[in-house]
Amino acid sequence: MSAAELAVRSGTSASTLTRLEKGDAGVGVGTLADVLVALGLQARLADLVDIRTDDVGLALADERLPKRGRSYDARIRAQKRKAAEKQGDDAIDPDGAAF
């Protein structure tokens, strides 16, 4: 099938088809869908919208996940430890008394 015939079957122009082949981001996804239908590749449309196959999208979603924070108790123990280190060796241990 020639490019001109594919353009007619998909309802688009030959120049738009050329832009689609080059990967121009300005070509609409509907045009891509029309071309895939004209080529008999409708099953490939499901691959385009399946988020499980979108590696970039999955990586971006992972970056947006909240980071695990420290618990309140862990922060208090760390603050007490730092304060004890500043006071010296005869300071009180936050988990018990020092002799």
Side-chain angles (χ1 to χ4, degrees), residues 33-91:
D34 291 338
V35 170
L36 288 174
V37 169
L39 290 172
L41 300 172
Q42 300 88 300
R44 299 296 305 262
L45 286 172
D47 295 339
L48 292 175
V49 295
D50 187 8
I51 61 169
R52 294 172 296 184
T53 60
D54 184 11
D55 294 332
V56 175
L58 291 172
L60 291 172
D62 283 344
E63 287 179 6
R64 292 187 195 119
L65 288 174
K67 304 295 184 240
R68 182 175 180 202
R70 298 179 91 184
S71 71
Y72 178 75
D73 289 337
R75 278 186 278 163
I76 296 300
R77 282 193 302 267
Q79 289 173 357
K80 287 181 180 179
R81 234 180 279 123
K82 286 181 184 178
E85 288 172 1
K86 287 182 183 178
Q87 290 179 359
D89 292 337
D90 48 333

Side-chain angles (χ1 to χ4, degrees), residues 4-49:
E5 186 179 344
L6 179 60
V8 170
R9 286 187 181 189
S10 61
T12 188
S13 66
S15 63
T16 302
L17 189 60
T18 303
R19 289 178 36 227
L20 179 67
E21 289 174 343
K22 291 182 180 181
D24 185 357
V27 178
V29 71
T31 303
L32 174 61
D34 291 338
V35 170
L36 288 174
V37 169
L39 290 172
L41 300 172
Q42 300 88 300
R44 299 296 305 262
L45 286 172
D47 295 339
L48 292 175
V49 295

